[in-house]
Amino acid sequence: MEMINGFLSVFEPLTFIYLLIGVLAGSVLGVLPGLTATMGVAVLTPLTFWLPPSQGFAMLIGVYNSALWAGGITAILINTPGTPASIASTFDGYAMTKRGEAGIALGINTIYSVIGGLFSTLVLAVFSFPLSNFALGFGPSEYFAVSIWGITMMAAVSNGSVIKGLILGVAGLLVSTIGIDPMLGFKRFTFGNTNLLDGISFVPVLIGMFGLSEILYQISTYRKEEQRSSEVLSRIRIGSVFMKWTRYAATIPSTIMSSVVSVIVGAIPGAGGDIASIICWGQAKKMSKKSEEFGKGSVEGLASSCTANNGVIGGALTTMLTLGIPGDAVTAVLIGSLMVYGIQPGPAMFVENQPLVMTIIALMVMANLIILVFGLATSKISTKILLVNQKTIWVTVIILCVVGSFALNNSFYDVVFMVIGGLLGFLFRKLDFPAGPFILGLLLGKLVESNLRRGLSLTQGSYIDFFNRPITLTIFGLIILSLVWSFKKKKITATGTT
C-alpha cells in the first residue's frame, strides 16, 4: 500500500506544480548553449532542501529530463548542441532545418526523446527492485570494488586523457579524507578549523564546478560577434511538427535499437547521453537501408540520436538507486541531494524508502508526458529563448550559485567552498582536465575508504578476500576492461561520425 501511495503522490497538487516548474526551467537551461542539465540540477538543488523529498525531487527530475530534450532544439535550429547529449542531433537536425523541415525535426526531437525516456523508465521500474535485492548481498569488498569502478569509468569516458581523469579521481579521494575519520573518529587535515570537521561540503563544490566554472569559462571565451542575432533566427521557419506515418514507420527498428542500447550505456557508471547518442547514431546508420542519407538530414538518424538523449536517464537512475553509484554527472548531483535528505542511495533504499522509489518512477513517467505536450505545443516559439541576453544569464546563474551555497547551512564557508570549486573547475576546463572524476572521487571517497578498511578488518588485514569473491573479481575485471576500452573511445566516436 505504501508503494502505491508513493506512486500516486506525484498527483498531489504541490508535487505536480514543482514538476512543471522543473520541466520549464530545464527547457530553458537545455536550449541555451553551455547551460547543461548537470549545471541546472546542481544550481537548483539547494532550492529544494526546504521541500519534502517528493516535491524537491519533482523539480530536479523535471529539470533532468527536459534539459536533455531541450538541448536538441538548439542543435537542430543553429547547429549548436544545447547539452553534450545533443551532439549527434546536429548531424541530421540542422540539415533538416536548412532544407525547410525545422518543424518536423523539432517534432522528432520531442517525440523520440519521450519514447527513449519512457522506455528507460520502464527498465528502471522492472529491473531496479531485482537488482537491489541482488545488491543486498554485497559485502565491504563488493562495495569497494563498485565504487572504484564508478570512478575509473568516469575517468575513462571523460573528455581528455584517461591519465588526467584518474589523477583527478585520486585527488577527489584524497580531499574526501578531510574531516573526522569514519572508523576511529580522529580529526584529519582540519588544521584546527572546526568548519572542516564535517569535511568539504560536497554540494557547494559541485555547484562551483558545474555552475560557476561554466560561467567563468563562457566569460573568458566571450566574443560579441559570435552572438546569434535576431535576424538569423527570424529567418528560420517552423512548419508542421508532424510527418507522414510512413516516415515514422521507417524509424521503428533504429528506435528500438537506440532505446535498448542507450539504457545499457546509461547504466554504465560515468557514461552519459553524449556517448549513447553517438553510438546509437552510428549503429542506426549501419542498420539503415538509406545509410547514405545519414548526416544529410536523415529522419532515422535524428530519431535514433534523440531517443538516446533521454534513454540514458533510466539506466543512470537504476545504477544510482540500486548501487549508490552515479550513472552520469547528473545522478552524482542527485546522490548528493538524497544524502542531504538523510537518504543513502543503494539497496537499503528499496527496503527503507520504497515509497520514494515509486515516486521517482512516477515522476519520470509524468515528466516525459509533460515534455511531450509542452514540446509539441511550443515548437513554433522555441527560437525566442535563444534571444535571451547572455550577460543576463551569467548574472542570474552566479547569484543562484552564491545564494544556493549559502542557504545550504547558512554558512559563509560553503560559499568559499563553492568559489574554490568554481575556480578549480575553470582551471580544469582550461587545462582540459575532466571535473567529473574529481567530483565522483569526493562523493564516493568515504564509501571507498570505509568499505576498504571494514573489509580489511574482517580479514585481519588480508587483501585476499578482495580477489577470491566472484562478484568482486568480476568488477575488478570490468575496471580493467573499462580502462582498456577508453583507449578505443576515440575510434568509436570517429566511426560514429563518419
Side-chain angles (χ1 to χ4, degrees), residues 31-35 74 78 80 215 217-235 383 385-394:
V31 167
L32 297 172
L35 305 187
T74 317
I78 60 175
T80 303
I215 299 304
Y217 183 79
Q218 288 190 23
I219 293 173
S220 71
T221 57
Y222 176 76
R223 297 291 184 273
K224 188 174 182 179
E225 61 272 13
E226 293 177 359
Q227 298 305 297
R228 297 284 174 178
S229 68
S230 58
E231 295 180 2
V232 174
L233 293 172
S234 66
R235 289 198 292 267
T383 57
I385 301 177
L386 291 168
L387 300 178
V388 177
N389 185 278
Q390 195 164 15
K391 295 178 182 178
T392 302
I393 298 169
W394 294 341

Side-chain angles (χ1 to χ4, degrees), residues 80-127:
T80 303
T83 62
S86 302
I87 291 174
S89 295
T90 62
F91 301 162
D92 293 292
Y94 187 59
M96 292 182 68
T97 295
K98 289 195 295 183
R99 73 179 183 217
E101 293 185 326
I104 291 177
L106 292 175
I108 290 172
N109 180 55
T110 299
I111 293 170
Y112 287 88
S113 291
V114 169
I115 290 173
L118 289 176
F119 179 82
S120 70
T121 303
L122 176 64
V123 172
L124 170 65
V126 171
F127 291 101

Side-chain angles (χ1 to χ4, degrees), residues 11 24 29 39 150 152 161 164 167 172 188 234 242 245 260 306 351 365 374 456 458:
F11 298 104
L24 180 60
L29 291 166
M39 177 185 183
T152 55
S161 72
K164 290 180 179 179
I167 289 173
R188 300 187 304 192
S234 66
F242 299 106
W245 285 108
V260 175
C306 292
V351 177
V365 174
F374 178 77
L456 290 175
L458 291 174

Side-chain angles (χ1 to χ4, degrees), residues 167-242:
I167 289 173
L168 287 191
V170 173
L173 288 173
L174 294 176
V175 172
S176 72
T177 62
I178 296 173
I180 301 294
D181 185 301
M183 302 289 287
L184 304 176
F186 293 139
K187 299 176 184 178
R188 300 187 304 192
F189 312 116
T190 61
F191 305 102
N193 191 329
T194 57
N195 292 284
L196 295 177
L197 291 177
D198 292 329
I200 301 297
S201 187
F202 168 73
V203 175
V205 173
L206 188 145
I207 292 173
M209 284 202 165
F210 289 115
L212 181 61
S213 67
E214 179 61 39
I215 299 304
L216 294 176
Y217 183 79
Q218 288 190 23
I219 293 173
S220 71
T221 57
Y222 176 76
R223 297 291 184 273
K224 188 174 182 179
E225 61 272 13
E226 293 177 359
Q227 298 305 297
R228 297 284 174 178
S229 68
S230 58
E231 295 180 2
V232 174
L233 293 172
S234 66
R235 289 198 292 267
I236 298 175
R237 293 289 178 260
I238 309 297
S240 173
V241 296
F242 299 106

Side-chain angles (χ1 to χ4, degrees), residues 243-469:
M243 56 186 180
K244 293 181 179 179
W245 285 108
T246 52
R247 299 181 77 181
Y248 286 115
T251 66
I252 292 176
S254 60
T255 300
I256 294 173
M257 178 276 299
S258 296
S259 298
V260 175
V261 171
S262 60
V263 171
I264 295 173
V265 173
I268 298 173
D274 52 345
I275 301 295
S277 62
I278 291 173
I279 291 176
C280 289
W281 187 88
Q283 291 302 313
K285 181 178 180 180
K286 293 178 181 178
M287 292 172 53
S288 176
K289 296 178 181 179
K290 299 179 179 179
S291 59
E292 71 279 358
E293 296 181 2
F294 277 63
K296 302 175 182 178
S298 168
V299 169
E300 289 181 73
L302 182 59
S304 63
S305 61
C306 292
T307 302
N309 285 349
N310 287 53
V312 300
I313 298 178
L317 284 174
T318 300
T319 304
M320 182 200 89
L321 294 174
T322 58
L323 300 178
I325 305 298
D328 60 6
V330 182
T331 47
V333 184
L334 294 178
I335 285 180
S337 302
L338 284 173
M339 293 173 68
V340 173
Y341 281 122
I343 301 170
Q344 177 64 55
M349 183 177 175
F350 287 76
V351 177
E352 301 167 359
N353 294 282
Q354 283 187 357
L356 180 58
V357 175
M358 295 305 298
T359 298
I360 292 173
I361 294 172
L363 287 171
M364 286 284 295
V365 174
M366 190 56 63
N368 279 283
L369 295 179
I370 292 172
I371 289 170
L372 180 63
V373 176
F374 178 77
L376 294 176
T378 61
S379 293
K380 293 184 182 297
I381 61 172
S382 55
T383 57
K384 303 299 182 184
I385 301 177
L386 291 168
L387 300 178
V388 177
N389 185 278
Q390 195 164 15
K391 295 178 182 178
T392 302
I393 298 169
W394 294 341
V395 173
T396 302
V397 172
I398 290 173
I399 291 173
L400 287 173
C401 288
V402 173
V403 173
S405 300
F406 180 81
L408 287 170
N409 301 299
N410 291 328
S411 172
F412 174 74
Y413 276 90
D414 283 345
V415 179
V416 173
F417 291 147
M418 184 275 293
V419 173
I420 293 174
L423 294 174
L424 284 175
F426 174 71
L427 182 62
F428 294 160
R429 186 81 177 267
K430 283 291 189 179
L431 298 177
D432 197 28
F433 275 76
F438 180 86
I439 286 292
L440 205 54
L442 180 60
L443 173 65
L444 299 177
K446 287 183 170 54
L447 188 64
V448 171
E449 179 187 6
S450 59
N451 281 292
L452 173 63
R453 294 170 65 180
R454 192 176 294 116
L456 290 175
S457 65
L458 291 174
T459 60
Q460 297 181 347
S462 173
Y463 288 91
I464 295 177
D465 190 58
F466 287 85
F467 297 98
N468 64 7
R469 296 171 68 90

